[in-house]
Amino acid sequence: MNPVDIIIKKRDGLALTDDEIGWFVRGFVAGAIPDYQVAAFAMAVYFQNMSDAETTALTQAMAASGDQLDLHTVLPKDVVIVDKHSSGGIGDKTTLAVGPIVAACGLPVGKMSGRGLGFTGGTIDKLESIAGWNPELSDAQFHQQLQQIGLVIAGQTADLAPADKQLYALRDVTGTVPSLPLIASSIMSKKLAAGADAIVLDVKCGRGAFMETLAEAQALARLMVAIGARAGRKMTALITQMEQPLGRAVGHALEVKEAMATLHDQGPADFQELVQTVAAEMLFLGKGMPPDAARAQIQQVIQNGSAFQKFRAFVAAQGGDPQLVDRPEKLPLAAVQMDVPAPQAGFVQRIDARAVGLTVAALGGGRQKKGDAIDVSVGVICHAKVGDAVQAGAPLCTVHAADEAAAEAAVQRIQAAYEIGAEAVAPLPILYDRISSQVE
Ligand code: URA
């Protein structure tokens, strides 16, 4: 076999065999296939797609490319280990609130998260706005923290699905992110290798997601649920709205603050609703809890402060400064804050979430090439969401930028991302669909 033949076969729209896919994946992890051929392969898949069988083979090869964890070596056999993963969105800080809530409900959460991808932000980059917080844990540290605190969020280690780690970084900078087989195999390879018994997938759908239509999101959700169920995992995919930014904050430190406010029951309504929906689904898969009971327990751990304390303990255990959790106003703050005035009075009809994500990336919150540093202080706070009434000149958003020129450019872009009209419109729903391998 040789990499060029495999790239050409896919480029020409032919189906690859399991052996070819496995050989290619092993080759690039071993360093025998260079980045430019892996990038060409990704582009061929982007244009030609893959069958479900090819995607399953790619997922399995990537999951087998490194360590495959067994968290039951440190947790009792009867504890169901539940993981969650989002397909990526704008302002998606869900893990930061869901992880502590679910852990406070007594279900251990030991999770590997990613960095930003394309126009979306990543959980690890967000948490790095807390000075000292470290995503790089040894297996022993991961296990110890899971046992002692019940909550670990770590970066993908070099040894866990290394094939995905390499491909992910290349896709981010080669325009090959929004591909159903590449997203499905990326997410599911990590999830299978990380050893969870049950997985809740938050499949984002809309302008700020890689899947823009419900049909595409459902196809991705079904495929991932099928791949996981075939590997013996309990699976649910929630298809959730990503037309407009989630919550109000977009940008790393701003999102960490919003997640912390949500743990104090002071988060934006749409974000709170999503957090509770995802957490309830995790409690259903992990403990068999019916939705009402799950929501009651979620409310309880928020109200009694135990979810927030879980977050604090998790941050401290991973080297983060707990004073920043107690005093979020001390988190990195951009030098310039500039409001985006509404050009006219009316109702917010639409907010182009992707444009908001790209604006935050252009402010310094995203990467242009592999390994770029990002500015965690920049971002946007959306004061007005779809359905809200606004007065002419009232602030739609506040831009947080490093300097006046960057802020002014962002103000223009954000203004263009908002559509304001005379007609009243209803707020957008959060949950579009649920596809599960389990009967409720
Ligand atoms: N999240 C991932 O882990 N991979 C993707 O490809 C997209 C979102």
Side-chain angles (χ1 to χ4, degrees), residues 85-88 117 164 168 171 177 182-184 186-187 190 210:
H85 199 89
S86 159
S87 63
L117 189 64
D164 172 62
Y168 192 93
R171 287 168 56 216
V177 172
L182 293 180
I183 295 175
S186 166
I187 293 177
K190 286 186 284 249
F210 299 124

Side-chain angles (χ1 to χ4, degrees), residues 84-240:
K84 76 134 301 251
H85 199 89
S86 159
S87 63
I90 311 299
D92 185 1
K93 72 268 329 162
T94 311
T95 293
L96 305 185
V98 161
I101 288 173
V102 171
C105 291
L107 201 59
V109 179
K111 184 173 160 41
M112 307 253 175
S113 287
R115 295 194 179 273
L117 189 64
F119 51 84
T120 69
T123 300
I124 295 299
D125 293 328
K126 291 172 198 184
L127 281 165
E128 280 179 345
S129 2
I130 304 175
W133 184 85
N134 173 25
E136 281 160 32
L137 303 182
S138 67
D139 284 358
Q141 286 169 315
F142 191 102
H143 289 158
Q144 193 187 22
Q145 190 175 320
L146 189 61
Q147 263 179 324
Q148 288 177 352
I149 296 176
L151 175 61
V152 192
I153 302 176
Q156 192 177 345
T157 62
D159 299 332
L160 188 115
D164 172 62
K165 195 169 186 185
Q166 276 172 254
L167 191 54
Y168 192 93
L170 284 175
R171 287 168 56 216
D172 186 29
V173 290
T174 57
T176 51
V177 172
S179 150
L180 191 147
L182 293 180
I183 295 175
S185 56
S186 166
I187 293 177
M188 289 309 296
S189 61
K190 286 186 284 249
K191 298 296 105 180
L192 296 185
D197 305 302
I199 301 162
V200 176
L201 300 167
D202 182 6
V203 178
K204 299 279 178 213
C205 174
R207 252 316 267 173
F210 299 124
M211 299 293 128
E212 286 199 54
T213 66
L214 185 58
E216 285 173 327
Q218 284 167 327
L220 176 65
R222 281 198 196 98
L223 180 58
M224 293 196 291
V225 167
I227 291 172
R230 212 172 292 140
R233 316 299 163 98
K234 293 182 184 175
M235 299 290 305
T236 296
L238 302 169
I239 301 180
T240 66

